[in-house]
Amino acid sequence: MKKSRLPLFPVAILGLALLVTGLPAETISLTVDATKTPQKFLSVQLVLPVKPGPLTLYYPKWIPGEHSPGGPIANLTGLHFEADGKPVPWQRDLLDVFTFHVDVPAGVTHLDAKYNYIESAGASATDKLLILEWNEVALYPAGTPAEKLMYQATILLPEGWKFGSSLPVENASGNKVEFKPISLDLLVDSPIITGQYYRAVDITPSGEPIHHEIDMAADSEEALNMSPAIQKAMTNLVAESGKLFGARHYRDYHFIFGLSDHVAHFGLEHHESNDSRLPERVLIGPDAGMSLGGLLSHEFMHSWNGKFRRPADLTVPYYEQPMETDLLWGYEGLTDYLGPMLAARSGLWTPDQYHQYMASIAASLGPARPGRTWRPLLDTAIGEPMPGGRGGWLNWRRGTDYYDEGNLLWLEVDTVLRRESKGQKSIDDFCQLFHGGANNGPEVKTYTFDQLVQTLNQVVPYDWAGFLHERLNSTSPQSPTGGIENAGWKLTYEPEPAKLSGRRGNTGDMYSIGLQVGDDGMVSDAVVGSPAFEAGISSGMKVIGVNGRVYRHELLEDAIKAAKDNAKPISLMVVIDEYIQTANVDYHGGPRFPHLVRDDAKPDMLDEIIKPRIEAAAKQ
Ligand SMILES: [Zn+2]
C-alpha cells in the first residue's frame, strides 16, 4: 500500500549494499522464542534467501519515532550464521557497529542466522509480561527499502500467556503464533504485547466502523482493573479523534499498554497501534485519567500526525539512513498540543487539569529556562540525535523542548486561526485538511515546512512563515505565552502550588530560589543565574542541611517562606563530590508556583478549545 517517497539509495551510504544485486523476492522468516522472557533472554532464528557472494546485513539503527540512532545493538548477542548446516563467518563493519558482513558460499540459497536479544535494564520484559518491538530482533539485508522486504514472523510465548497486536495473525495454536507475511516497515510498526495477566478492552464508540481496543498486560491481575469511567473516557477519546481529523488511516487500532514498575516508562507511536508503558498501579490509582490522558492520547494522535503526515526529511527508506529532525516541532510539538487537548475533550482530564498543565509548561519555559537565551526552539529539534544530555542541567541545555514549546506554539497558531477568522476557523479545520483524506490503511504522506505553511494559509491567510520563523529562532527569555494570552488567560505565580498530578511531576523550587531538589536532597537542576546557582549550587550536588538542620524538603519550603520577612540568606549545606560547602542563598521573594488565571478583558478561548465535540448522548 505504501508508495516510494524519497530517492532510495544515496550512494555514499549504500556503497557496500550495491554489491548485492537483486535479492530473490522471497519472504524472510523470523522466529522469536520468547519462552525465556522472565530471564530477559530471547532466542531468534532468521532464515534469509540469499545468493552466493558478499552480503551486508543491518541491525535497525534509526528507529521511527525515536528520532535518533538508538537501536539497541549492544543487546544483540550470540550471533551465528549457518548455510546448509555449516558455519559461515561474519565480521562487523569497521565504521558502523550496526552493520555485519558475511560471504555467502557458492551454491547456497538460504542463510540461517541465530542470535539472542537481551532484555537488559528491564526495559521491555518482566517475569509476567513482554512488549516486543520487532526492530529489536530483526536483521535485514542491505540494498532493498524496508517496505519491499517481506517477513513472516512467528513468536513462541511462555506457556499460558495471551497476546495482543495490530499485526494480522495467520495461525495461533498452543503457545505458537504465526503472523501473516508483512513488509519490514509494517512489522517494525506493529509491536506485540504478551503476558500472564492480560486483558483486551474494546473502546470502539457506537457507530464507529473501525475497531479500537486496549491490549493490556500487567505485573498483576489486579492492575488490569480499568474503571468503567476510564473505559468510557478512552472510548470518548476515539470518538473525539474522529471528530477532530474526520478520517482514520488504519485498518484497526490497538493501544498496547504495559503496566509494570520494572519496564522503562515511555510511549512509542505506530500507525495502527501505540506502545505505552506506565507504572503497574496506574489504572487502580487516583491519577489514572491524568496519566492515560498524558501519554496514550499523545501516542494516539501520532497515528495522524507523525505516522500518516510525516516530515519528508524524517521519512527514510530503511533504518540505517540518518533522519533530519528539524521539523520535530511539527511532528512532536503539534502532537503534544493535540494530545492534552483531546485528553480534555474526552474527559480523561478535567478543564482545571488542562489549565494547570499548560501553566506548568509555560512556566518551565520562562526565565527558569535560561537555555532559551542561547538555544532557539529550532535547535532543540535539530539537535535531537545528540548523544548524552541526560545528566541534569536541563534549564541550560534545554533538551527536548520542541515538545512543550511546540505545544505552546501550536496553541498560539490555534488562537491566531480563531482570531483572524473571527471564530470561524480553528486547529480542527487545519487537522481536517492536513490529516484527512481517504483511509488507505497505514500510509505515509510526507510534508515540508512550505507545505505546512501552505495548508495553514488555506485555512486562514496570514504571514505563517514569518510567524513560525520568529518563534522557531527566538532567544527571548520570556515564557512563550502568546497563545495563552490570546486565549484569555494569564500565567501567574502564587505562594501555593497547584494540585497537578501526572506526567510532569513536582517543579520543586525552580521559580523561587531556582532549584529542583528531590526528597533525598539530590539537585537535578539549578537555574543558571538564579539565587541558588549564584550561591554555588548546581546539578548533581546534594543538599544535606537547611539553616543548620538536616535537610528535609519541608524545611527548605519553610526556610523560603521565612526568608521573605528578613534579610538573612537561606543557608544550605551541600555536598560537592566529597566536600561539604555552605551556600548562602540570597532570596527573599517567598514561594512561587505557576497558575493559570482568567483575563476577564478577553473571551475564554481555552475552554472553547477543550470543549467536547461529540454529542452528550453519545458519551453516555
Ligand atoms: Zn510523540
Side-chain angles (χ1 to χ4, degrees), residues 115-173:
Y115 44 94
N116 302 104
Y117 182 74
I118 299 168
E119 282 287 354
S120 70
S124 306
T126 78
D127 193 44
K128 303 298 179 199
L129 64 86
L130 168 70
I131 304 156
L132 181 67
E133 294 280 358
W134 293 95
N135 63 276
E136 295 170 347
V137 292
L139 289 172
Y140 69 101
T144 310
E147 67 179 352
K148 297 270 192 268
L149 287 167
M150 291 303 287
Y151 278 68
Q152 194 275 307
T154 300
I155 188 165
L156 304 173
L157 304 174
E159 211 54 52
W161 285 25
K162 299 193 184 91
F163 75 97
S165 177
S166 60
L167 205 53
V169 174
E170 180 76 51
N171 187 37
S173 76

Short mmCIF file of all heavy atoms in Angstrom, two decimals, residues 115-173:
data_model
loop_
_atom_site.label_atom_id
_atom_site.label_comp_id
_atom_site.label_asym_id
_atom_site.label_seq_id
_atom_site.Cartn_x
_atom_site.Cartn_y
_atom_site.Cartn_z
N TYR A 115 20.58 -15.76 16.85
CA TYR A 115 21.13 -14.81 17.80
C TYR A 115 20.18 -14.63 18.97
O TYR A 115 19.06 -15.16 18.97
CB TYR A 115 21.42 -13.45 17.13
CG TYR A 115 20.35 -12.93 16.19
CD1 TYR A 115 19.35 -12.05 16.65
CD2 TYR A 115 20.33 -13.29 14.85
CE1 TYR A 115 18.38 -11.56 15.79
CE2 TYR A 115 19.35 -12.80 13.98
CZ TYR A 115 18.39 -11.94 14.45
OH TYR A 115 17.42 -11.47 13.60
N ASN A 116 20.66 -13.91 19.96
CA ASN A 116 19.83 -13.64 21.13
C ASN A 116 19.63 -12.14 21.27
O ASN A 116 20.45 -11.35 20.84
CB ASN A 116 20.50 -14.17 22.40
CG ASN A 116 20.77 -15.66 22.29
OD1 ASN A 116 21.90 -16.06 22.06
ND2 ASN A 116 19.73 -16.45 22.38
N TYR A 117 18.51 -11.80 21.89
CA TYR A 117 18.29 -10.41 22.26
C TYR A 117 18.14 -10.37 23.78
O TYR A 117 17.25 -11.02 24.34
CB TYR A 117 17.04 -9.83 21.57
CG TYR A 117 16.86 -8.38 21.93
CD1 TYR A 117 17.68 -7.41 21.37
CD2 TYR A 117 15.91 -7.98 22.87
CE1 TYR A 117 17.56 -6.08 21.73
CE2 TYR A 117 15.77 -6.65 23.23
CZ TYR A 117 16.61 -5.71 22.66
OH TYR A 117 16.50 -4.39 23.03
N ILE A 118 19.02 -9.60 24.41
CA ILE A 118 18.99 -9.49 25.88
C ILE A 118 18.09 -8.32 26.25
O ILE A 118 18.32 -7.20 25.82
CB ILE A 118 20.41 -9.24 26.43
CG1 ILE A 118 21.34 -10.40 26.06
CG2 ILE A 118 20.37 -9.03 27.93
CD1 ILE A 118 22.80 -10.07 26.31
N GLU A 119 17.09 -8.59 27.05
CA GLU A 119 16.20 -7.52 27.52
C GLU A 119 16.85 -6.81 28.70
O GLU A 119 16.37 -6.87 29.81
CB GLU A 119 14.85 -8.12 27.91
CG GLU A 119 13.95 -8.44 26.74
CD GLU A 119 13.37 -7.18 26.11
OE1 GLU A 119 13.59 -6.09 26.65
OE2 GLU A 119 12.71 -7.31 25.07
N SER A 120 17.98 -6.13 28.42
CA SER A 120 18.75 -5.56 29.53
C SER A 120 18.02 -4.37 30.14
O SER A 120 17.20 -3.73 29.51
CB SER A 120 20.13 -5.13 29.05
OG SER A 120 20.00 -4.03 28.21
N ALA A 121 18.33 -4.10 31.39
CA ALA A 121 17.77 -2.98 32.15
C ALA A 121 16.25 -3.10 32.30
O ALA A 121 15.59 -2.16 32.70
CB ALA A 121 18.12 -1.63 31.51
N GLY A 122 15.71 -4.27 31.99
CA GLY A 122 14.28 -4.49 32.20
C GLY A 122 13.40 -3.56 31.41
O GLY A 122 12.26 -3.28 31.77
N ALA A 123 13.89 -3.08 30.28
CA ALA A 123 13.13 -2.07 29.53
C ALA A 123 11.79 -2.58 29.02
O ALA A 123 10.82 -1.85 29.00
CB ALA A 123 13.98 -1.55 28.38
N SER A 124 11.71 -3.83 28.61
CA SER A 124 10.50 -4.32 27.94
C SER A 124 10.01 -5.67 28.45
O SER A 124 8.99 -6.16 27.97
CB SER A 124 10.76 -4.47 26.44
OG SER A 124 11.24 -3.27 25.90
N ALA A 125 10.74 -6.32 29.35
CA ALA A 125 10.36 -7.66 29.79
C ALA A 125 10.38 -7.74 31.30
O ALA A 125 11.26 -7.17 31.95
CB ALA A 125 11.34 -8.68 29.21
N THR A 126 9.40 -8.45 31.85
CA THR A 126 9.40 -8.75 33.29
C THR A 126 9.08 -10.23 33.44
O THR A 126 8.91 -10.94 32.46
CB THR A 126 8.37 -7.91 34.07
OG1 THR A 126 7.06 -8.47 33.87
CG2 THR A 126 8.35 -6.45 33.63
N ASP A 127 8.97 -10.68 34.68
CA ASP A 127 8.59 -12.06 34.95
C ASP A 127 7.21 -12.37 34.38
O ASP A 127 6.88 -13.52 34.13
CB ASP A 127 8.59 -12.28 36.47
CG ASP A 127 8.53 -13.75 36.83
OD1 ASP A 127 9.26 -14.53 36.20
OD2 ASP A 127 7.74 -14.11 37.73
N LYS A 128 6.39 -11.34 34.18
CA LYS A 128 4.99 -11.55 33.83
C LYS A 128 4.58 -11.00 32.47
O LYS A 128 3.43 -11.23 32.05
CB LYS A 128 4.09 -10.87 34.89
CG LYS A 128 4.33 -11.33 36.31
CD LYS A 128 4.03 -12.80 36.47
CE LYS A 128 4.30 -13.26 37.90
NZ LYS A 128 4.44 -14.74 37.96
N LEU A 129 5.42 -10.23 31.80
CA LEU A 129 4.98 -9.64 30.53
C LEU A 129 6.16 -9.32 29.62
O LEU A 129 7.31 -9.22 30.07
CB LEU A 129 4.14 -8.37 30.78
CG LEU A 129 4.80 -7.16 31.45
CD1 LEU A 129 5.51 -6.28 30.43
CD2 LEU A 129 3.77 -6.34 32.19
N LEU A 130 5.84 -9.15 28.35
CA LEU A 130 6.84 -8.74 27.36
C LEU A 130 6.17 -7.81 26.35
O LEU A 130 5.05 -8.09 25.89
CB LEU A 130 7.39 -9.96 26.62
CG LEU A 130 8.23 -9.69 25.36
CD1 LEU A 130 9.57 -9.06 25.73
CD2 LEU A 130 8.46 -10.98 24.56
N ILE A 131 6.85 -6.71 26.03
CA ILE A 131 6.43 -5.88 24.91
C ILE A 131 7.55 -5.96 23.88
O ILE A 131 8.69 -5.61 24.18
CB ILE A 131 6.19 -4.42 25.34
CG1 ILE A 131 5.16 -4.37 26.47
CG2 ILE A 131 5.70 -3.59 24.15
CD1 ILE A 131 5.26 -3.14 27.33
N LEU A 132 7.22 -6.48 22.72
CA LEU A 132 8.26 -6.72 21.72
C LEU A 132 8.11 -5.76 20.56
O LEU A 132 7.11 -5.77 19.84
CB LEU A 132 8.16 -8.17 21.21
CG LEU A 132 9.22 -8.54 20.16
CD1 LEU A 132 10.61 -8.56 20.77
CD2 LEU A 132 8.90 -9.88 19.51
N GLU A 133 9.11 -4.92 20.40
CA GLU A 133 9.25 -4.08 19.21
C GLU A 133 10.14 -4.87 18.26
O GLU A 133 11.29 -5.19 18.58
CB GLU A 133 9.88 -2.73 19.57
CG GLU A 133 9.03 -1.83 20.46
CD GLU A 133 7.95 -1.08 19.69
OE1 GLU A 133 7.89 -1.23 18.46
OE2 GLU A 133 7.15 -0.37 20.34
N TRP A 134 9.63 -5.15 17.06
CA TRP A 134 10.32 -6.10 16.18
C TRP A 134 11.68 -5.61 15.71
O TRP A 134 12.54 -6.41 15.32
CB TRP A 134 9.43 -6.44 14.98
CG TRP A 134 8.20 -7.21 15.36
CD1 TRP A 134 6.97 -6.69 15.62
CD2 TRP A 134 8.09 -8.63 15.57
NE1 TRP A 134 6.08 -7.70 15.97
CE2 TRP A 134 6.75 -8.90 15.94
CE3 TRP A 134 8.99 -9.70 15.48
CZ2 TRP A 134 6.29 -10.18 16.21
CZ3 TRP A 134 8.51 -10.98 15.75
CH2 TRP A 134 7.18 -11.21 16.11
N ASN A 135 11.92 -4.29 15.70
CA ASN A 135 13.25 -3.81 15.29
C ASN A 135 14.35 -4.34 16.20
O ASN A 135 15.50 -4.43 15.82
CB ASN A 135 13.29 -2.27 15.25
CG ASN A 135 13.06 -1.65 16.61
OD1 ASN A 135 11.92 -1.49 17.03
ND2 ASN A 135 14.12 -1.33 17.34
N GLU A 136 13.95 -4.72 17.45
CA GLU A 136 14.96 -5.22 18.40
C GLU A 136 15.49 -6.59 18.00
O GLU A 136 16.59 -6.97 18.41
CB GLU A 136 14.34 -5.30 19.81
CG GLU A 136 13.97 -3.94 20.37
CD GLU A 136 13.14 -4.02 21.64
OE1 GLU A 136 12.63 -5.12 21.98
OE2 GLU A 136 12.99 -2.99 22.30
N VAL A 137 14.70 -7.33 17.24
CA VAL A 137 15.08 -8.72 16.95
C VAL A 137 15.28 -8.99 15.46
O VAL A 137 15.44 -10.15 15.06
CB VAL A 137 14.03 -9.71 17.51
CG1 VAL A 137 14.05 -9.69 19.04
CG2 VAL A 137 12.63 -9.38 16.99
N ALA A 138 15.26 -7.93 14.63
CA ALA A 138 15.33 -8.15 13.18
C ALA A 138 16.68 -7.74 12.61
O ALA A 138 17.21 -6.68 12.94
CB ALA A 138 14.21 -7.37 12.49
N LEU A 139 17.23 -8.58 11.76
CA LEU A 139 18.32 -8.17 10.87
C LEU A 139 17.71 -8.09 9.48
O LEU A 139 16.73 -8.80 9.19
CB LEU A 139 19.44 -9.20 10.87
CG LEU A 139 20.30 -9.32 12.13
CD1 LEU A 139 21.24 -10.52 12.00
CD2 LEU A 139 21.11 -8.05 12.34
N TYR A 140 18.27 -7.23 8.64
CA TYR A 140 17.73 -7.16 7.28
C TYR A 140 18.84 -6.90 6.28
O TYR A 140 19.85 -6.27 6.61
CB TYR A 140 16.63 -6.09 7.20
CG TYR A 140 17.07 -4.67 7.33
CD1 TYR A 140 17.22 -3.85 6.21
CD2 TYR A 140 17.34 -4.11 8.59
CE1 TYR A 140 17.61 -2.52 6.33
CE2 TYR A 140 17.73 -2.80 8.71
CZ TYR A 140 17.87 -2.00 7.59
OH TYR A 140 18.27 -0.71 7.71
N PRO A 141 18.65 -7.40 5.05
CA PRO A 141 19.71 -7.26 4.05
C PRO A 141 19.75 -5.85 3.48
O PRO A 141 18.70 -5.22 3.28
CB PRO A 141 19.30 -8.26 2.97
CG PRO A 141 17.83 -8.42 3.11
CD PRO A 141 17.49 -8.18 4.55
N ALA A 142 20.96 -5.35 3.26
CA ALA A 142 21.13 -4.04 2.65
C ALA A 142 20.70 -4.09 1.20
O ALA A 142 20.69 -5.14 0.57
CB ALA A 142 22.60 -3.63 2.74
N GLY A 143 20.30 -2.94 0.68
CA GLY A 143 20.05 -2.83 -0.75
C GLY A 143 18.59 -2.81 -1.15
O GLY A 143 18.28 -2.64 -2.32
N THR A 144 17.68 -3.01 -0.20
CA THR A 144 16.25 -3.01 -0.51
C THR A 144 15.54 -2.16 0.53
O THR A 144 15.83 -2.30 1.72
CB THR A 144 15.69 -4.46 -0.46
OG1 THR A 144 16.53 -5.30 -1.24
CG2 THR A 144 14.27 -4.52 -0.99
N PRO A 145 14.63 -1.27 0.12
CA PRO A 145 13.92 -0.48 1.14
C PRO A 145 13.04 -1.38 2.02
O PRO A 145 12.59 -2.44 1.58
CB PRO A 145 13.07 0.48 0.32
CG PRO A 145 13.06 -0.04 -1.06
CD PRO A 145 14.25 -0.92 -1.24
N ALA A 146 12.83 -0.94 3.26
CA ALA A 146 12.10 -1.75 4.24
C ALA A 146 10.71 -2.13 3.75
O ALA A 146 10.20 -3.20 4.05
CB ALA A 146 12.02 -0.99 5.56
N GLU A 147 10.09 -1.27 2.95
CA GLU A 147 8.72 -1.58 2.51
C GLU A 147 8.69 -2.67 1.44
O GLU A 147 7.62 -3.19 1.11
CB GLU A 147 8.02 -0.31 2.02
CG GLU A 147 8.60 0.27 0.76
CD GLU A 147 7.84 1.52 0.28
OE1 GLU A 147 6.80 1.83 0.85
OE2 GLU A 147 8.34 2.15 -0.66
N LYS A 148 9.85 -3.02 0.90
CA LYS A 148 9.91 -4.07 -0.14
C LYS A 148 10.41 -5.41 0.41
O LYS A 148 10.45 -6.39 -0.32
CB LYS A 148 10.84 -3.62 -1.27
CG LYS A 148 10.37 -2.36 -2.00
CD LYS A 148 9.48 -2.72 -3.17
CE LYS A 148 9.24 -1.53 -4.08
NZ LYS A 148 8.03 -0.79 -3.70
N LEU A 149 10.84 -5.43 1.67
CA LEU A 149 11.34 -6.68 2.26
C LEU A 149 10.19 -7.38 2.97
O LEU A 149 9.58 -6.80 3.87
CB LEU A 149 12.45 -6.37 3.26
CG LEU A 149 13.80 -5.94 2.68
CD1 LEU A 149 14.68 -5.37 3.79
CD2 LEU A 149 14.50 -7.11 1.99
N MET A 150 9.90 -8.62 2.58
CA MET A 150 8.78 -9.34 3.20
C MET A 150 9.27 -10.27 4.31
O MET A 150 10.23 -11.00 4.12
CB MET A 150 8.02 -10.15 2.14
CG MET A 150 7.27 -9.30 1.14
SD MET A 150 6.07 -8.17 1.92
CE MET A 150 4.80 -9.34 2.42
N TYR A 151 8.60 -10.19 5.45
CA TYR A 151 8.93 -11.04 6.60
C TYR A 151 7.73 -11.87 6.99
O TYR A 151 6.59 -11.40 6.93
CB TYR A 151 9.34 -10.17 7.81
CG TYR A 151 10.78 -9.71 7.75
CD1 TYR A 151 11.19 -8.80 6.78
CD2 TYR A 151 11.73 -10.19 8.66
CE1 TYR A 151 12.52 -8.38 6.71
CE2 TYR A 151 13.05 -9.78 8.60
CZ TYR A 151 13.44 -8.88 7.62
OH TYR A 151 14.75 -8.48 7.55
N GLN A 152 8.01 -13.10 7.42
CA GLN A 152 6.96 -13.90 8.07
C GLN A 152 7.43 -14.14 9.50
O GLN A 152 8.43 -14.82 9.73
CB GLN A 152 6.73 -15.22 7.32
CG GLN A 152 5.44 -15.92 7.73
CD GLN A 152 5.63 -16.79 8.96
OE1 GLN A 152 6.52 -17.62 8.97
NE2 GLN A 152 4.81 -16.59 9.99
N ALA A 153 6.76 -13.50 10.45
CA ALA A 153 7.20 -13.54 11.84
C ALA A 153 6.40 -14.58 12.63
O ALA A 153 5.20 -14.77 12.41
CB ALA A 153 7.02 -12.17 12.48
N THR A 154 7.11 -15.25 13.53
CA THR A 154 6.49 -16.24 14.42
C THR A 154 7.02 -15.97 15.82
O THR A 154 8.20 -15.62 15.98
CB THR A 154 6.89 -17.67 14.00
OG1 THR A 154 6.44 -17.89 12.66
CG2 THR A 154 6.29 -18.72 14.92
N ILE A 155 6.16 -16.12 16.81
CA ILE A 155 6.65 -15.98 18.20
C ILE A 155 6.19 -17.17 19.03
O ILE A 155 5.06 -17.66 18.86
CB ILE A 155 6.21 -14.63 18.83
CG1 ILE A 155 6.90 -14.44 20.19
CG2 ILE A 155 4.70 -14.50 18.95
CD1 ILE A 155 6.82 -13.02 20.71
N LEU A 156 7.08 -17.64 19.87
CA LEU A 156 6.74 -18.69 20.85
C LEU A 156 6.61 -18.01 22.20
O LEU A 156 7.57 -17.40 22.70
CB LEU A 156 7.84 -19.76 20.90
CG LEU A 156 8.18 -20.43 19.57
CD1 LEU A 156 9.40 -21.33 19.72
CD2 LEU A 156 6.99 -21.24 19.07
N LEU A 157 5.42 -18.07 22.77
CA LEU A 157 5.14 -17.36 24.02
C LEU A 157 5.39 -18.27 25.22
O LEU A 157 5.27 -19.50 25.10
CB LEU A 157 3.68 -16.91 24.04
CG LEU A 157 3.22 -16.05 22.87
CD1 LEU A 157 1.71 -15.80 22.97
CD2 LEU A 157 3.97 -14.72 22.85
N PRO A 158 5.68 -17.69 26.37
CA PRO A 158 5.70 -18.50 27.58
C PRO A 158 4.33 -19.18 27.78
O PRO A 158 3.30 -18.61 27.39
CB PRO A 158 5.98 -17.48 28.69
CG PRO A 158 6.69 -16.37 28.00
CD PRO A 158 6.06 -16.30 26.63
N GLU A 159 4.35 -20.35 28.36
CA GLU A 159 3.14 -21.17 28.49
C GLU A 159 1.99 -20.38 29.14
O GLU A 159 2.16 -19.76 30.19
CB GLU A 159 3.48 -22.39 29.37
CG GLU A 159 2.70 -23.65 29.06
CD GLU A 159 2.78 -24.08 27.59
OE1 GLU A 159 3.90 -24.19 27.06
OE2 GLU A 159 1.70 -24.28 26.98
N GLY A 160 0.85 -20.37 28.48
CA GLY A 160 -0.35 -19.76 29.07
C GLY A 160 -0.47 -18.26 28.89
O GLY A 160 -1.46 -17.67 29.29
N TRP A 161 0.54 -17.60 28.30
CA TRP A 161 0.46 -16.14 28.12
C TRP A 161 -0.45 -15.80 26.94
O TRP A 161 -0.48 -16.50 25.93
CB TRP A 161 1.85 -15.56 27.86
CG TRP A 161 2.70 -15.48 29.10
CD1 TRP A 161 2.59 -16.24 30.23
CD2 TRP A 161 3.81 -14.60 29.31
NE1 TRP A 161 3.55 -15.90 31.14
CE2 TRP A 161 4.32 -14.89 30.60
CE3 TRP A 161 4.43 -13.60 28.56
CZ2 TRP A 161 5.42 -14.21 31.15
CZ3 TRP A 161 5.52 -12.93 29.10
CH2 TRP A 161 6.00 -13.23 30.39
N LYS A 162 -1.18 -14.72 27.08
CA LYS A 162 -2.02 -14.22 25.99
C LYS A 162 -1.30 -13.04 25.33
O LYS A 162 -0.33 -12.51 25.87
CB LYS A 162 -3.36 -13.78 26.54
CG LYS A 162 -4.16 -14.89 27.21
CD LYS A 162 -5.59 -14.45 27.42
CE LYS A 162 -6.40 -15.50 28.16
NZ LYS A 162 -6.35 -15.32 29.62
N PHE A 163 -1.81 -12.61 24.17
CA PHE A 163 -1.11 -11.55 23.46
C PHE A 163 -2.09 -10.65 22.71
O PHE A 163 -3.24 -11.01 22.45
CB PHE A 163 -0.09 -12.12 22.46
CG PHE A 163 -0.74 -12.68 21.22
CD1 PHE A 163 -0.81 -11.91 20.06
CD2 PHE A 163 -1.30 -13.93 21.22
CE1 PHE A 163 -1.43 -12.40 18.93
CE2 PHE A 163 -1.94 -14.43 20.09
CZ PHE A 163 -2.00 -13.66 18.93
N GLY A 164 -1.60 -9.46 22.36
CA GLY A 164 -2.36 -8.54 21.52
C GLY A 164 -1.42 -7.78 20.59
O GLY A 164 -0.26 -7.55 20.93
N SER A 165 -1.91 -7.42 19.39
CA SER A 165 -1.11 -6.69 18.42
C SER A 165 -1.99 -6.27 17.26
O SER A 165 -3.05 -6.85 17.04
CB SER A 165 0.01 -7.59 17.89
OG SER A 165 0.75 -6.91 16.90
N SER A 166 -1.54 -5.27 16.52
CA SER A 166 -2.25 -4.93 15.29
C SER A 166 -1.77 -5.80 14.12
O SER A 166 -2.28 -5.72 13.02
CB SER A 166 -2.03 -3.45 14.93
OG SER A 166 -0.66 -3.20 14.74
N LEU A 167 -0.77 -6.63 14.39
CA LEU A 167 -0.19 -7.48 13.35
C LEU A 167 -1.18 -8.60 12.99
O LEU A 167 -1.59 -9.37 13.87
CB LEU A 167 1.10 -8.09 13.91
CG LEU A 167 2.21 -8.53 12.98
CD1 LEU A 167 2.62 -7.44 12.02
CD2 LEU A 167 3.40 -8.99 13.83
N PRO A 168 -1.57 -8.73 11.71
CA PRO A 168 -2.55 -9.77 11.37
C PRO A 168 -1.99 -11.19 11.60
O PRO A 168 -0.87 -11.48 11.22
CB PRO A 168 -2.81 -9.52 9.88
CG PRO A 168 -2.42 -8.09 9.65
CD PRO A 168 -1.28 -7.84 10.58
N VAL A 169 -2.81 -12.02 12.27
CA VAL A 169 -2.39 -13.37 12.65
C VAL A 169 -2.78 -14.37 11.56
O VAL A 169 -3.90 -14.35 11.06
CB VAL A 169 -3.05 -13.77 13.99
CG1 VAL A 169 -2.76 -15.22 14.34
CG2 VAL A 169 -2.57 -12.84 15.11
N GLU A 170 -1.83 -15.25 11.21
CA GLU A 170 -2.12 -16.32 10.25
C GLU A 170 -2.68 -17.52 10.99
O GLU A 170 -3.68 -18.10 10.60
CB GLU A 170 -0.80 -16.69 9.53
CG GLU A 170 -0.91 -17.80 8.49
CD GLU A 170 -1.55 -17.31 7.21
OE1 GLU A 170 -1.11 -16.28 6.68
OE2 GLU A 170 -2.52 -17.96 6.75
N ASN A 171 -2.01 -17.86 12.10
CA ASN A 171 -2.36 -19.08 12.80
C ASN A 171 -1.84 -19.00 14.24
O ASN A 171 -0.70 -18.62 14.45
CB ASN A 171 -1.70 -20.26 12.06
CG ASN A 171 -2.15 -21.58 12.60
OD1 ASN A 171 -3.31 -21.73 12.98
ND2 ASN A 171 -1.22 -22.52 12.70
N ALA A 172 -2.68 -19.32 15.20
CA ALA A 172 -2.23 -19.36 16.60
C ALA A 172 -2.68 -20.68 17.20
O ALA A 172 -3.87 -21.00 17.18
CB ALA A 172 -2.82 -18.19 17.38
N SER A 173 -1.72 -21.47 17.68
CA SER A 173 -2.11 -22.70 18.37
C SER A 173 -1.11 -22.97 19.48
O SER A 173 0.11 -22.82 19.28
CB SER A 173 -2.20 -23.86 17.39
OG SER A 173 -0.93 -24.31 17.05
#
